[in-house]
């Protein structure tokens, strides 16, 4: 299933593209991942780690593909891998998947976030 974003106003679309300098789909994906990660105060550390993982992996994808429009989409992961001819290395969490859906204690999430930040976990 592909993410879809629909706005009812061209003014809002213009604002997002021009002033925020964000691609509408990328903004939608970021918003979705934030909501799926959970917004409860006790999950702040988990949320920060999950957002860090997603953000740094997306940066890694852009860097390795040399394509500023490349977007990490776990929903379409196989298609993304085939399209960009990339694979992840250094994943140190016991589960593989969308960072928003990773479960468990905060420590493994923070360890993965650090590995991605240090470029020990990245796309090649």
């Amino acid at each position: 299933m592909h993410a879809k974003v629909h706005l009812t106003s061209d003014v809002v679309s213009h604002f997002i593209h021009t002033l925020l300098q964000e691609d509408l789909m990328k903004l939608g994906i970021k918003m979705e991942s934030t909501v799926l990660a959970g917004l409860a105060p006790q999950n702040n550390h988990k949320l920060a780690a999950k957002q860090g993982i997603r953000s740094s992996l997306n940066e890694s994808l852009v860097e390795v593909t040399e394509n500023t429009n490349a977007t990490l989409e776990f929903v379409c992961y196989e298609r993304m891998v085939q399209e960009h001819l990339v694979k992840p290395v250094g994943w140190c969490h016991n589960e593989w998947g969308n960072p928003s859906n990773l479960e468990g204690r905060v420590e493994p999430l923070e360890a993965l976030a650090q590995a991605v930040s240090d470029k020990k976990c990245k796309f090649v």
Side-chain angles (χ1 to χ4, degrees), residues 76-117:
C76 307
Y77 176 75
E78 293 298 326
R79 181 190 56 79
M80 181 200 70
V81 167
Q82 292 172 357
E83 178 181 334
H84 298 294
L85 301 175
V86 296
K87 68 177 182 178
V89 295
W91 186 269
C92 60
H93 196 276
N94 62 353
E95 295 177 48
W96 165 250
N98 186 332
S100 298
N101 299 335
L102 295 178
E103 297 183 6
R105 297 185 353 246
V106 70
E107 292 83 2
L109 292 171
E110 288 177 336
L112 178 57
Q114 190 63 51
V116 176
S117 177

